[in-house]
Amino acid sequence: MKRTHTHVSTRLGLVHAVITGSGDPIVMWPSLLMDAALWDAQVDYFARNHLTIAVDPPGHGRSSRLEQRFTFEECAGCVVDILDQLEIRRTHFIGNSWGAMIGGTLAATFPERVETAVLMNGTASSAPTVQQMQYRMLLMVIRILGGIRPPLTKSVVRAFLGPTTVSTRPQVVRKVVDIARGNDPVSIINAVHSVVIDRPDQRDLFASITCPTLIVGGREDRTFPLPELQAMADAIPGSELVVIDGAAHLTAAEVPDEVNRLVETFLANRAATSN
């Protein structure tokens, strides 16, 4: 199926998006250090019946360089900018990690633009002190090395992928490492500060979310372990939580068939309920 590449002018610079298919729209926003390619399997699956819009988030992939830090509200505004340029009134939203946080912000602050939200491997909490310290050290090494270079790639794999994927899905490991290494160091430094070190606690904000919301996590996720995922689910009224075995922080790439079935069932059930 033909994929169309476009750049959208947003409040955080030019954002690259891959647009495929037609029908009820789905916007997909990936994790920090990842780009739209995280969603390749979801685009292939859902573009048969949906208009899929897979985003390279600000400073990642083919989007323009991030010259400064940002807020989650600005990221949610980027999604609105994309929807406005594409003349889309409402959309389903699927986000992973950073994308999950932004999906929650979007659903809470622009409820009229969101049909449903699938928030994967995310959090609604601020970063604990230990995590902040770890990522400050990571940024020091990125500055010294000039980007994600060995031995940092091992740290990326450990943060994003669990033992099951590392031992049985070498193609996923290669893909994650290749995408991470392709990132611009200035953009990564600004993004890591904004998404991790300066991350706000959004639990009170998420309490105002009214759209149907599915929370998905990998049981082997080291970055946002299950208690953190549960806290996000508890903050969102009526949300549904599903934990997937044998997957970690990038479930969409690790177990794509399972994720596709899960999301398809969720969307079908919501459509049946609304009718």
Side-chain angles (χ1 to χ4, degrees), residues 57-80:
H60 291 63
R62 301 186 194 181
S63 293
S64 61
R65 173 186 261 196
L66 262 176
E67 300 290 354
Q68 60 189 26
R69 301 177 194 178
F70 53 78
T71 66
F72 285 4
E73 288 77 13
E74 288 175 314
C75 291
C78 283
V79 180
V80 173

Side-chain angles (χ1 to χ4, degrees), residues 98-267:
W98 178 13
M101 303 173 209
I102 300 314
T105 310
L106 178 72
T109 55
F110 297 96
E112 72 283 0
R113 308 305 294 266
V114 184
E115 290 280 359
T116 66
V118 179
L119 311 181
M120 304 172 62
N121 309 289
T123 184
S125 305
S126 58
T129 302
V130 171
Q131 189 178 66
Q132 292 182 29
M133 292 175 60
Q134 290 172 337
Y135 277 80
R136 289 184 189 279
M137 292 178 62
L138 171 68
L139 294 186
M140 289 177 58
V141 179
I142 288 175
R143 289 188 179 97
I144 293 170
L145 298 179
I148 304 292
R149 304 286 183 267
L152 280 186
T153 50
K154 293 182 179 180
S155 299
V156 171
V157 170
R158 176 171 175 78
F160 283 175
L161 304 174
T164 300
T165 293
V166 170
S167 62
T168 65
R169 303 170 185 132
Q171 75 283 2
V172 175
V173 177
R174 287 194 298 270
K175 181 175 184 175
V176 168
V177 170
D178 287 346
I179 295 174
R181 292 187 64 178
N183 283 302
D184 170 70
V186 172
S187 296
I188 293 307
I189 289 168
N190 284 319
V192 167
H193 265 291
S194 303
V195 176
V196 182
I197 298 170
D198 300 332
R199 184 173 71 239
D201 188 307
Q202 297 198 104
R203 285 174 290 181
D204 287 346
L205 177 66
F206 284 12
S208 66
I209 294 175
T210 57
C211 70
T213 304
L214 174 65
I215 311 294
V216 180
R219 194 173 298 279
E220 298 177 3
D221 192 347
R222 299 184 182 101
T223 299
F224 297 136
L226 296 185
E228 200 154 347
L229 196 74
Q230 182 68 60
M232 181 170 69
D234 290 343
I236 301 174
S239 64
E240 176 186 356
L241 172 62
V242 176
V243 177
I244 300 177
D245 292 326
H249 194 63
L250 301 178
T251 52
E254 295 175 85
V255 286
D257 291 343
E258 189 166 354
V259 166
N260 291 347
R261 287 192 296 269
L262 185 64
V263 173
E264 182 177 48
T265 299
F266 171 72
L267 295 179

Side-chain angles (χ1 to χ4, degrees), residues 8-15 58 77-79 81-82:
V8 179
S9 180
T10 76
R11 60 202 74 190
L12 290 177
L14 287 176
V15 169
C78 283
V79 180
D81 294 336
I82 293 168

